[in-house]
Structure formats: structure tokens, C-alpha cells
Amino acid sequence: MPDNRRFLLQRRPDGEPVREDFELVSEPTPDLAQGQFLIRNHYASLDPAMRGWMDAGGNYMPPIPLGDPVRATTIGVVEESRAEGFEAGMWVMGLNALEDYSVGVAGGFTQPIDPSMVPEVTNYLSLFGAVGMTAYFGFLEVCAPKEGETVLVTGAAGAVGSVVGQLARIKGCRAVGIAGGPEKCARLTEKYGFDTAIDYKGKDEAALTKAIAEACPDGVDVIFENVGGIILDAGLMNLNLHARVGLCGLISEYNTEPRGIRNLWQLIVKRAQIRGLLVADYVERFGEGAAQMGEWAAAGKITIDEHVDEGLENAFDSFMRLFAGSNQGKMILKIA
Amino acid sequence: MPDNRRFLLQRRPDGEPVREDFELVSEPTPDLAQGQFLIRNHYASLDPAMRGWMDAGGNYMPPIPLGDPVRATTIGVVEESRAEGFEAGMWVMGLNALEDYSVGVAGGFTQPIDPSMVPEVTNYLSLFGAVGMTAYFGFLEVCAPKEGETVLVTGAAGAVGSVVGQLARIKGCRAVGIAGGPEKCARLTEKYGFDTAIDYKGKDEAALTKAIAEACPDGVDVIFENVGGIILDAGLMNLNLHARVGLCGLISEYNTEPRGIRNLWQLIVKRAQIRGLLVADYVERFGEGAAQMGEWAAAGKITIDEHVDEGLENAFDSFMRLFAGSNQGKMILKIA
């Protein structure tokens, strides 16, 4: 059997991850026990949530044990199987790791997928995967947008945010996106159909608050929040009565001591709410979400960008793009 | 007519209010226009929300104009009337000001009250007023407690908090209160029926987090939040899945630059929510709330403490008790 390159977590990052926290090693491909199958990973999803799994505390998942490969959702092909229902050659998707080969278990988190159902097999990691389903259920269920409302999306050029903006337009809302830099802002309006875009770069909290007020003359009814920090604080200053903030992520705070949210009193003034959302709660409804998203995609109402980097040896640089904001679309690492 | 002593806002406080921000002046009692009536104020409610009204930005009410008396809910007796439905000698309650005499307008915010309906007329400012109704609707509607759940109340020895704890017990919940100092903590368990009390004094965030975990072995399902700062952050670290935080106040932040809430990511991990609440939203249901509270009070299930200071000349010191935490119960100023 070929060697198995594995991208290991060797040290828990202190703030921003550095190259030395990880190590790419080569190990023999493991033997299979009864009920197991070997997956040749082809693509891995790189997600901000993985940063939390690297900490000792973990979050909604146990922490990645030191010396283990970095946990990630992957898609690949069954190479060899001692498990019923998983034959060699079958495409599968599951929570595996950044490595050439992962071992799956029947009845575990890895499920067969059908590449003929989607334009590209990688779409299972974007529009029809956690990203698309986070946007779909997080926005439609948690934020409950109504026609004519104003929706503010932060991290709007990101994988989830760009889909939320498009969903907002489909639902008849005014969609305002916040992103970093003129290139991304242009993408928001030209490619994802946002009504207008705000460039957060070079703006302090007061300037952001003013920019949001100008972009949202009727106030903000819904915030889909991916960022936190002064961007969330500026959004809170523009809430309408009974506004809803769907809290999807706080990427600005993952690698640093959080600055803290200081305008929470606006929730009282506006009788508004912040509600945390996690796509895992909707797994049983993924079929419903994927069907609807597929319909909108086929009708040209939703586009999704995928940013595919190549090679396990580039795992660190690709992962760090998420925090530098240098990816254009859903961050995917091509392993083979 | 007698002179009208008025406690004026002369300067907007910069952080913690100081004596020089206010002035007690004496002015002639105003003449009445048609449709107006003169109220001899007897008692005024002193509330943390008044601090926000002193700022230029205002919050859910317009700011108090400089040179105007400090806005407050008062109860008093109609002294003279040119308004239909408001005869001299009638008890009334309304949003007036810290002054001997206020002018009411028929159809305005001042309504007749019936002192024979309550044990003490001041109860209109506590159990049957904004305080009691905030606890009633804020806790029962916004926090939606279920039997057997654990309810954490911050500012638990305060006017609202002490009522929320008692409502939690009535609803079959475990009630845990946080307050400052052993005397207040004893009051929580001995007088208000909390299952246990946590003294926040001398505890940093880590110690508070641990103390809450120990007092809430099954986690926290509901937080009724009056304080903010590290107390809220420590509470967030102990949330159960789908927990609800009713945000009633952030008194630790009213006079200082807010420290910021840093554990908001727990809302994602626990799919929990924070929702701001304001009693004004329930004015039309006050009758329902007051009837139920009256029933519980008559059955001995709810007690409320009132801390009555005497004299308009003591308005500043009495108001500042709210922030020093040196009041024992609903803070009321006796004017006459």
C-alpha cells in the first residue's frame, strides 16, 4: 500500500496558528478491521470552525488530540473495504482529516455521495454541504427574514456570507454586505447580487456605524454575523425594533483575545435578539435544503465560488487564508 | 401656591454621575392650561434606566433636556385640575420628574391609581409597577422557564432580580442568585427563596465561572441578566443547549466604558440566545400581570422589599445607591 501523508496537529496554537504547530508526516496506510473501509481523500473542506477544534477546550466538538491529523470534512473514493455498503470505487463524504487516506466505519459519519447529482463533486463541500446548509437554515430559520426587510451580512464575501446575500435577495430583502477591500466589495454587488457593499478596511467603529446607517436608510432588521468585534458592534447600533442577529461565527476573534462586544445594550433598546446557530442541528433536513438550493442554482439564482488550493503540503497556507481573507469563495484543499 | 423644588439635570454626566451634574432649585408652581392638572408628587421611583436618559444619545426614551428636572415615574395626588377625569384629591401615577409638583395632561402618561387595591401605595412603584411587571413579563415571556430548569439571576438582590428569583421558584425551577456581599446573599436564600446564592465580590471571571458551575450542577437553562461584564461572561460559560438569556440590564456598564462581552461564541456552541426586554412592550397586559402578582403576594409566595429614602434634597445620594448596590429592595424617594 502507498504511504499516507498526514497533516498532524503537534502543538495547540497560541492565538494565530503558526507553521510549527503542525507537521506533515508520512505513515503506512493502516490495515482495515472488519466493518472499516479505506478512503482515498480527494478534497477537504477548510473551515474557520477547525481553529476551535485545535484548542484544548474544544467547542461543540472534542478537541483534536495532539499528534492526530487535523480533523476536516473530506470527500473521496473508497479504495478498499471490509464494510457492508461501502464498495471500492464509491464516492463518500465525511468528517475525516487532512490526510491522503482515512479509515471510515460503517454507521459512522461518512456517507456515500453521488457525483452525478451535482455539477462538480466539490459542490458537496460548498453549496450542498455544510456551507450551503448553514446559509440556508441559519438564515431562513434562525433569522426569519421577511420580504422588504434589510439584511446585513458580515463576512459577506466568504463562503457562507455570499450565499446568505443571495438568499436574502431571493426572499425579497435588501441585502447589504460587509467585506474587506474594493475587490471583494465589487464581487458582492456584481456577482452575488447584494444591493450594496461596505468596505470595512480602514474604518473604525464610528465610521463603520455611519457607513451601515448610510447603506441601510431604513435600519437593519437582520444581521447574519460571521465576524464579531467592531463590525458586530457597529451593526448593533443600527438595529431596528425586534431585529434578529443570527450568530454564525466570530472569525475576527478566533486567533486573538476577543475585544468584547460593547453595544449589547442595544438589544434592550431595540428588544432585539442574538441567537447562535450551528448547521449540525439541521442534518436531518439537509435533503430538503439541498433540493431547494439545487432548484435555485439550476435557475441561476445562486452561484457559489470555490477556492481550490492544491496539495496537502499547502494545508497550512490554505487554512490561514480563511483568517487573512485571501480566499475567494469556499476554501477547499485538493488532496488528490 | 407653594414653591416647587425641582431636581434639575444641569450637565450630562461623564461616566459616573457627580453631585455637580444636578441642581435642586425652587421655582413657582406653574399655572395650569385647560386640560392640565397639577400633581403633588409623594413618591418617585429611582431606576437604573434613568442613567441612560441623562446621556445625549438617549436610549429608548429621548434624553432629558439640560435644565429640565430628572425624569422619573412618580405617584402623587391631584392638587388642582383643569382636566376632565382628574379631580383634586385623586391618586395618580405617571412618568413625571423629581420635583414637588408636576403638570399632568389628560390623555398623557399619567393615570389614576387606587391605593385601596394594594397594601401600600408605594407598591405601585414596585410589585405592581415597572419593577414587578419587568420581572413578570421579562422572565415568564422572554425567558420562557420550564419546570425543573435552572435559572441564574444576576443582580439578584435588586428590585427586579429578587422578584425573578421568587417567580422561578413558583414555576418549579432551581433559582440561583448572584449578588454582592454576604448580607445580600443571605437575603437571597432566607428571604427570597433562592436555592443558593453566589457572592461575586472578590471573584474574577474564572472564579465566577467555577462558582456558577458548582451552584448549577445541571448547567444553566435561563439567565435573567441585570449586570453584564464578567458576570455575564461567566454565566455564558455555563449555558445548557438552547439556553435563553433575558437581557434586562447591564448596570455594571452604565457609568463606565463597557469591558465588552467576550464569550458570545458560547451562543453558537450552545445554540443559545440573548434577547433584550423592556417592560414598556407589555403595558397593555399590566392588568393581567398585576392580578397574578397580587394573587401570589396574597398567598405569601412573593415578597418585595422597598428601600424608601426621604427628601428631594437626597435625590442624588439615593439615585447613586443603585450603582453602589447599597439599597435593599426597590429604590423609592419619598418627596412628601
Side-chain angles (χ1 to χ4, degrees), chain B residues 188-211:
Chain B
L188 293 190
T189 51
E190 290 163 14
K191 189 156 189 185
Y192 303 132
F194 280 83
D195 291 280
T196 186
I198 297 168
D199 184 354
Y200 69 76
K201 290 209 170 160
K203 292 193 176 70
D204 63 8
E205 186 186 333
L208 272 170
T209 303
K210 187 160 170 278

Side-chain angles (χ1 to χ4, degrees), chain A residues 59-60 232 247-250 258-262 264-265 267-269 271-278 281, chain B residues 59-60 232 247-250 257-262 264-265 267-269 271-278 281:
Chain A
N59 42 26
Y60 44 90
L232 174 52
L247 189 62
C248 180
L250 293 160
R259 164 188 169 279
I261 299 303
R262 301 175 186 184
L264 224 49
W265 57 282
L267 297 183
I268 303 177
V269 176
R271 281 79 101 197
Q273 59 175 289
I274 301 184
R275 204 171 131 202
L277 63 95
L278 204 59
D281 290 346
Chain B
N59 40 26
Y60 44 91
L232 174 53
L247 189 62
C248 180
L250 293 161
E257 183 67 22
R259 165 188 167 279
I261 299 303
R262 300 175 187 185
L264 225 48
W265 58 282
L267 297 183
I268 303 177
V269 176
R271 281 78 101 193
Q273 59 175 291
I274 301 184
R275 204 172 132 200
L277 62 96
L278 204 58
D281 290 347

Side-chain angles (χ1 to χ4, degrees), chain B residues 76 120 218 245 295:
Chain B
E120 301 286 340
D218 298 325
V245 180
E295 196 179 296

Side-chain angles (χ1 to χ4, degrees), chain B residues 1-282:
Chain B
M1 292 293 289
D3 266 3
N4 186 15
R5 287 173 311 152
R6 315 182 84 193
F7 185 67
L8 308 184
L9 180 68
Q10 294 291 36
R11 190 174 66 181
R12 305 216 172 273
D14 177 17
E16 180 152 328
V18 294
R19 213 171 285 277
E20 293 69 35
D21 296 330
F22 309 92
E23 192 179 1
L24 187 66
V25 301
S26 208
E27 298 178 357
T29 309
D31 292 329
L32 296 179
Q34 189 58 39
Q36 292 184 334
F37 52 95
L38 191 69
I39 306 158
R40 177 41 165 143
N41 289 317
H42 283 249
Y43 297 97
S45 176
L46 299 181
D47 299 295
M50 293 161 65
R51 175 63 189 84
W53 303 339
M54 296 172 188
D55 288 336
N59 40 26
Y60 44 91
M61 296 273 286
I64 301 167
L66 286 182
D68 269 22
V70 171
R71 186 190 296 137
T73 299
T74 69
I75 51 182
V77 174
V78 175
E79 177 107 355
E80 190 194 334
S81 177
R82 299 185 62 189
E84 214 171 320
F86 292 88
E87 284 95 54
M90 185 183 264
W91 280 88
V92 292
M93 170 158 116
L95 198 55
N96 296 302
L98 298 178
E99 54 189 356
D100 280 322
Y101 294 91
S102 296
V103 174
V105 189
F109 288 113
T110 298
Q111 298 296 333
I113 55 175
D114 181 353
S116 74
M117 296 289 288
V118 290
E120 301 286 340
V121 72
T122 52
N123 297 167
Y124 275 109
L125 297 179
S126 56
L127 198 58
F128 302 101
V131 162
M133 295 303 104
T134 297
Y136 186 86
F137 291 104
F139 178 57
L140 299 182
E141 300 273 320
V142 174
C143 299
K146 290 188 278 288
E147 194 179 334
E149 287 190 326
T150 297
V151 174
L152 180 68
V153 183
T154 72
V160 174
S162 62
V163 177
V164 171
Q166 296 175 81
L167 293 177
R169 298 290 293 130
I170 289 172
K171 290 293 171 182
C173 300
R174 174 173 173 82
V176 176
I178 303 183
E183 185 276 330
K184 284 189 179 178
C185 285
R187 205 144 39 90
L188 293 190
T189 51
E190 290 163 14
K191 189 156 189 185
Y192 303 132
F194 280 83
D195 291 280
T196 186
I198 297 168
D199 184 354
Y200 69 76
K201 290 209 170 160
K203 292 193 176 70
D204 63 8
E205 186 186 333
L208 272 170
T209 303
K210 187 160 170 278
I212 295 170
E214 284 166 4
C216 306
D218 298 325
V220 174
D221 301 293
V222 167
I223 298 178
F224 193 95
E225 184 62 50
N226 290 301
V227 178
I230 62 168
I231 292 182
L232 174 53
D233 264 338
L236 290 174
M237 292 307 294
N238 285 285
L239 293 183
N240 283 336
L241 209 59
H242 304 134
R244 294 132 270 147
V245 180
L247 189 62
C248 180
L250 293 161
I251 198 167
S252 72
E253 305 182 353
Y254 291 175
N255 287 330
T256 54
E257 183 67 22
R259 165 188 167 279
I261 299 303
R262 300 175 187 185
N263 293 335
L264 225 48
W265 58 282
Q266 281 291 319
L267 297 183
I268 303 177
V269 176
K270 302 297 171 54
R271 281 78 101 193
Q273 59 175 291
I274 301 184
R275 204 172 132 200
L277 62 96
L278 204 58
V279 70
D281 290 347
Y282 300 94

Side-chain angles (χ1 to χ4, degrees), chain A residues 68-89:
Chain A
D68 269 21
V70 171
R71 185 189 296 136
T73 300
T74 69
I75 52 182
V77 175
V78 174
E79 176 107 354
E80 188 193 335
S81 177
R82 297 185 63 188
E84 213 170 321
F86 291 89
E87 285 93 55

Side-chain angles (χ1 to χ4, degrees), chain B residues 278-292:
Chain B
L278 204 58
V279 70
D281 290 347
Y282 300 94
V283 166
E284 286 171 12
R285 294 176 60 192
F286 272 19
E288 166 198 340
Q292 179 62 77

